[in-house]
Amino acid sequence: MKELLIVVDMQKDFVDGALGTAEAVAIVNNVAEKIRGFSGDIIVTYDTHGENYLQTREGRYLPVPHCIKGTAGWELDRTVRAALEGRDYAALEKPTFGSTELVGYIADHYDPESLSITLVGLCTDICVVSNALLLKASYPQIEISVDASCCAGVTVDSHNAALLTMKMCQIQITGGE
């Protein structure tokens, strides 16, 4: 069985930048430890926006510029970046919550019959849940799990609601809830 770790949007703006939270800061070391201890393949996603972010649909609903490509806020959190040093990993930019590019990358590089996927990262209630559900819909026979100790949501309540939603969709929740 090939194991795949997907590290979702562990970028400065989501940790301690424009949209950062104390809960996001609190999971950074857990995510770094997960990366260091993981023996399978790793994919890292980057929420990626342009200078025109505020004119996009997302920008109209969330008028906080964040993860603008080329800015410090777009970069990975330094602790997460250090954990990835010396590791081969794929980096995928995504312009919105869920990534069809991620689904396609997996189809192009892996045999879904012999794959298990674990997701960690930010935000549980937006990008983690979106990608977990996209993956589950695309690959219903793959074992998909989310490590709750390596995720944080916009709020604690929305984090817990997203974990429950994923659990109800047969995504395994590990690491406590």
Side-chain angles (χ1 to χ4, degrees):
M1 180 73 58
K2 183 77 169 177
E3 294 183 353
L4 179 60
L5 178 65
I6 300 173
V7 180
V8 179
D9 301 353
M10 286 298 297
Q11 294 157 272
K12 182 169 179 43
D13 271 346
F14 288 127
V15 175
D16 59 4
L19 295 171
T21 65
E23 292 81 13
V25 170
I27 68 157
V28 167
N29 288 331
N30 293 352
V31 171
E33 282 302 311
K34 186 83 167 185
I35 291 167
R36 283 193 282 274
F38 195 77
S39 60
D41 290 355
I42 299 175
I43 298 173
V44 176
T45 69
Y46 286 79
D47 191 51
T48 303
H49 301 293
E51 294 295 331
N52 70 334
Y53 172 76
L54 291 175
Q55 284 73 53
T56 67
R57 181 173 177 80
E58 180 182 327
R60 289 190 304 270
Y61 284 90
L62 178 63
V64 179
H66 65 280
C67 297
I68 307 299
K69 188 170 182 173
T71 67
W74 181 79
E75 298 295 329
L76 288 178
D77 170 83
R78 63 182 160 77
T79 302
V80 171
R81 189 172 55 244
L84 288 163
E85 283 180 16
R87 298 283 310 250
D88 282 334
Y89 64 93
L92 299 177
E93 294 178 13
K94 55 183 200 50
T96 189
F97 311 133
S99 175
T100 56
E101 291 85 2
L102 176 60
V103 172
Y105 184 89
I106 291 170
D108 291 344
H109 292 86
Y110 297 95
D111 173 11
E113 303 268 330
S114 61
L115 185 64
S116 71
I117 298 173
T118 300
L119 291 96
V120 299
L122 301 168
C123 294
T124 319
D125 44 350
I126 301 173
C127 293
V128 174
V129 69
S130 294
N131 285 290
L133 292 174
L134 266 174
L135 291 167
K136 187 66 175 171
S138 299
Y139 306 109
Q141 298 308 313
I142 291 179
E143 181 70 28
I144 299 175
S145 64
V146 171
D147 186 336
S149 71
C150 295
C151 293
V154 174
T155 69
V156 172
D157 287 343
S158 61
H159 164 80
N160 289 329
L163 292 174
L164 180 59
T165 295
M166 290 184 282
K167 184 176 180 179
M168 296 307 295
C169 291
Q170 300 176 1
I171 294 167
Q172 302 302 308
I173 306 302
T174 64
E177 295 178 46

